[in-house]
Amino acid sequence: MKIGIFDSGIGGLTVLAELIKKYPNNKYYYFGDNINAPYGTKSKEELLKLSNKIINFLNKKDVDLIIVACGTISSNVFDKLPKDTKIYDVISPTIDYINNSNYENIGLIGTNMTIKSKTFEKRINKKIIARSCNDFVPYIENEQSLTDIIPKYMNIFKDKVDVLILGCTHYPIIEKELNDYLDSKIPLINMGTILADSLKLGNKEKQIRLYFSKVNHTLISNIDKIIKEKYYLEEVVLED
């Protein structure tokens, strides 16, 4: 099976890693639009335009399905994306999981656009404390330390929530730092893990092809930390 996946940068690789773990023998085609990252500061019109270009690129690879591994796009413009190919968003499985769980007080962190959309609040019938963490993505993409900025975002969750949803696929990359600050007392929900568990994918032949709009040494370093498999990497500038 050919599976297309995309995100604004390296965040969606956390979703890809979970898919590879559960369904290793597939052909994966990933596009990371890191030249336009972060998506969390863009308008819905910009998000839709960028998404359509990437979906067009992945469809040219004859993928069987596409996974939007981006919380910002999933919560803001998913319903407007072309559905010529079967397409999945990254947040719906997590929403279903939370609604069917025993958790009552839910913490949520995401980009400004994700939090502003209130998609989680509209679809989860439980108390939610949400916080926009727009600084996280550029820090993660550039391998900068978040030690000094994590407390100002995370302090509202201590002793107030039963679980914390990582509403941006970049955030599992800093799971250790978040756990350290929260003393590992609050379970962290990786949307990629929940998504992988919700899908039923065939297994035939393994191949991992990664496309990014900008390739540099920092990107390669980040990829190697997340994807523990042999991969093909290419820089691609998408056409309008």
Side-chain angles (χ1 to χ4, degrees), residues 10 38 133-150 152-153 170 173-174 218 222:
I10 61 170
C133 302
N134 250 18
D135 290 341
F136 283 6
V137 170
Y139 273 70
I140 293 168
E141 287 280 340
N142 293 300
E143 291 191 308
Q144 295 174 271
S145 172
L146 286 97
T147 303
D148 294 334
I149 69 170
I150 282 178
K152 77 173 185 177
Y153 290 110
H170 279 77
I173 297 171
I174 57 167
T218 301
N222 277 320

Side-chain angles (χ1 to χ4, degrees), residues 86-148:
K86 188 180 294 184
I87 186 166
Y88 297 88
D89 72 275
V90 75
I91 67 173
S92 290
T94 293
I95 289 171
D96 291 340
Y97 172 81
I98 293 295
N99 279 331
N100 291 306
S101 74
N102 293 322
Y103 297 123
E104 291 299 331
N105 298 297
I106 316 301
L108 168 68
I109 55 176
T111 66
N112 183 55
M113 285 294 287
T114 295
I115 301 303
K116 186 178 176 181
S117 75
K118 295 193 177 295
T119 297
F120 286 87
E121 288 90 336
K122 293 172 184 174
R123 297 170 60 187
I124 293 176
N125 299 315
K126 302 186 180 188
K127 181 180 178 182
I128 296 179
I129 299 176
R131 186 69 188 267
S132 170
C133 302
N134 250 18
D135 290 341
F136 283 6
V137 170
Y139 273 70
I140 293 168
E141 287 280 340
N142 293 300
E143 291 191 308
Q144 295 174 271
S145 172
L146 286 97
T147 303
D148 294 334

Side-chain angles (χ1 to χ4, degrees), residues 198-223:
S198 74
L199 296 174
K200 304 294 182 186
L201 304 179
N203 287 275
K204 290 185 178 181
E205 178 185 354
K206 177 184 287 188
Q207 187 180 96
I208 303 168
R209 303 181 74 86
L210 309 179
Y211 303 91
F212 281 83
S213 47
K214 183 180 181 181
V215 173
N216 54 35
H217 293 299
T218 301
L219 172 67
I220 295 171
S221 173
N222 277 320
I223 293 172

